[in-house]
Amino acid sequence: MSTATTTTTLLRNNNNPDHHETGAVAGLDLFPRPPRTAYDLYRDQSHTRRVSLGCPVLDATFGGGLPGHGIVDISGMAGAGKTQLMLQLLVQQVKDAESEWRNANYSTPFVAGRSFYLSTEGPLPAKRLADMAAAACPGDSGFAQRVLESVIIVEAKNVEDQLYLLTTQLPSLLADSSLGKIRLCVIDSMSALFRGEFSLSKGDTLERAKMIFAMAKQMKTLSDKFKIPFVVTNQVTADFQVGQAGQGGWEGGMEGGGVQPALGLSWSNCVHSRYLLTRRDKNNVWPVASLPPSLPHSAITMEETGGINGSGSNSSQWVRQMRLLLSPSLPRDLSCQFVVETAGVRGVGGRGVALEEEG
């Protein structure tokens, strides 16, 4: 039987209810979902929409924001700005939901822009989230509270907790839209518990891969079913293959070559898109005098610990970079420099912005 004939037969049998029971008995779930054309996917907004990063400069650089479906990996070293970016996404979900409600002329019931936040590295910094929300809408005294009330927070203490929350608790929350549809799922971070619980032995490596695949499969299934993205932060490891090429003003060099996302190929094969966050080395600070005219000097008062507006005249100043590593729809190596200020994450220029070296 030719391949064409086999495919035609399978399609015909799949559309014939009399064949469904036979296929199930034989253990052959050949078509768990009905076949679709490329045009169907093209018209499906869940596959084409973007999730705003809450900054016009970042959105313009990365094609409107982050993908609105699948698993989006945000990798970076400690202090690169991963959690700050996640908090801004949480604020933006509420802004977008309320904007959609106003644009509909209040013709539909108000639905808060709820988000699910799974933390593996300690409690979510709620005070920081409130400050960012208040700065985002200074004329609305109740906006910060609405943002805080929109975020559903769960904490995983070990890998088994993490898998349980994804497979048991999260599906129930997604199915219950009585308090508003969940628009975004954040995991901060994916790698923290894995790196602490698994060794590099062959047995542990295989077990870790099985757990990663199980979580990724669940995230993809929920993303397809409920049409939401999973934005997942990830740590990085040293990339020893680059030799001396990783030295430079940015961690890992200007291209980020000195580090690579954690969890290896097992996790890399599961993600839909991947971004890398880096930051300027503390001994190679971008001089305040060279800042673009549109960027106030107070915008880059970041300490090495990641704090906002650090006290002390000698506090380090950081300028960070967000770079696209993997995307099925955008060219690789799109990048944008950004800073973290009291109001949140702000882009300060695309890939072409020149940086001056200190000294």
Side-chain angles (χ1 to χ4, degrees):
M1 182 181 295
S2 67
T3 302
T5 304
T6 303
T7 303
T8 302
T9 303
L10 292 175
L11 285 170
R12 182 170 62 248
N13 290 346
N14 182 71
N15 295 322
N16 184 351
D18 294 336
H19 288 267
H20 288 177
E21 185 175 353
T22 303
V25 172
L28 300 176
D29 189 8
L30 299 177
F31 287 99
R33 285 173 291 183
R36 292 185 291 177
T37 66
Y39 185 65
D40 293 330
L41 289 176
Y42 176 77
R43 297 185 61 187
D44 187 348
Q45 292 186 356
S46 67
H47 283 262
T48 57
R49 76 180 184 93
R50 310 292 289 185
V51 175
S52 173
L53 287 159
C55 170
V57 176
L58 292 174
D59 285 347
T61 301
F62 298 110
L66 301 178
H69 71 287
I71 301 174
V72 183
D73 180 287
I74 308 291
S75 298
M77 299 183 74
K82 301 186 298 296
T83 297
Q84 298 295 318
L85 189 61
M86 296 305 102
L87 297 181
Q88 183 151 301
L89 287 173
L90 300 179
V91 174
Q92 190 63 34
Q93 296 314 299
V94 180
K95 289 184 66 176
D96 288 346
E98 295 186 357
S99 176
E100 292 168 6
W101 185 53
R102 289 191 295 269
N103 291 339
N105 296 318
Y106 307 98
S107 60
T108 58
F110 176 70
V111 177
R114 292 204 303 164
S115 300
F116 175 84
Y117 192 97
L118 194 165
S119 175
T120 65
E121 298 185 343
L124 176 145
K127 176 63 167 60
R128 173 63 177 144
L129 178 61
D131 290 343
M132 292 175 68
C137 293
D140 187 344
S141 60
F143 181 72
Q145 180 175 340
R146 296 199 298 277
V147 169
L148 294 174
E149 292 176 345
S150 73
V151 183
I152 303 170
I153 306 169
V154 296
E155 293 184 42
K157 301 301 183 183
N158 52 55
V159 173
E160 288 74 20
D161 277 353
Q162 190 170 333
L163 181 60
Y164 174 81
L165 291 169
L166 289 173
T167 57
T168 304
Q169 188 169 13
L170 179 56
S172 299
L173 292 172
L174 291 171
D176 181 10
S177 59
S178 59
L179 297 178
K181 180 182 182 296
I182 292 178
R183 302 165 61 101
L184 171 71
C185 291
V186 173
I187 301 178
D188 188 15
S189 72
M190 178 68 184
S191 52
L193 297 177
F194 280 94
R195 299 182 81 177
E197 294 185 29
F198 291 92
S199 69
L200 297 179
S201 66
K202 183 176 180 181
D204 271 11
T205 300
L206 293 175
E207 187 63 27
R208 185 184 76 164
K210 290 179 182 179
M211 191 72 75
I212 288 174
F213 292 146
M215 292 185 186
K217 178 182 178 181
Q218 178 68 359
M219 283 187 267
K220 290 181 179 181
T221 298
L222 295 177
S223 177
D224 287 344
K225 181 176 181 180
F226 295 99
K227 302 185 184 305
I228 58 172
F230 280 78
V231 182
V232 180
T233 66
N234 189 12
Q235 299 173 357
V236 294
T237 60
D239 186 356
F240 296 105
Q241 296 182 354
V242 299
Q244 300 299 317
Q247 297 181 0
W250 295 90
E251 292 168 342
M254 195 61 179
E255 297 301 319
V259 296
Q260 58 183 350
L263 299 182
L265 290 176
S266 296
W267 175 244
S268 295
N269 290 329
C270 296
V271 303
H272 174 266
S273 300
R274 167 167 277 169
Y275 300 78
L276 177 67
L277 304 187
T278 53
R279 65 175 182 174
R280 294 284 288 190
D281 184 88
K282 66 180 180 180
N283 296 319
N284 192 9
V285 180
W286 189 1
V288 172
S290 68
L291 287 174
S294 60
L295 182 65
H297 291 178
S298 60
I300 58 168
T301 54
M302 290 294 299
E303 289 188 324
E304 182 177 1
T305 57
I308 306 301
N309 293 332
S311 60
S313 59
N314 294 324
S315 62
S316 298
Q317 297 174 333
W318 295 99
V319 179
R320 292 154 167 82
Q321 183 188 57
M322 181 174 181
R323 184 162 69 92
L324 178 64
L325 298 183
L326 173 67
S327 171
S329 58
L330 294 175
R332 184 178 175 180
D333 284 344
L334 293 178
S335 65
C336 184
Q337 293 144 22
F338 67 94
V339 293
V340 181
E341 53 188 356
T342 302
V345 177
R346 298 290 176 263
V348 296
R351 184 174 177 82
V353 174
L355 292 177
E356 294 184 14
E357 298 297 331
E358 188 180 46

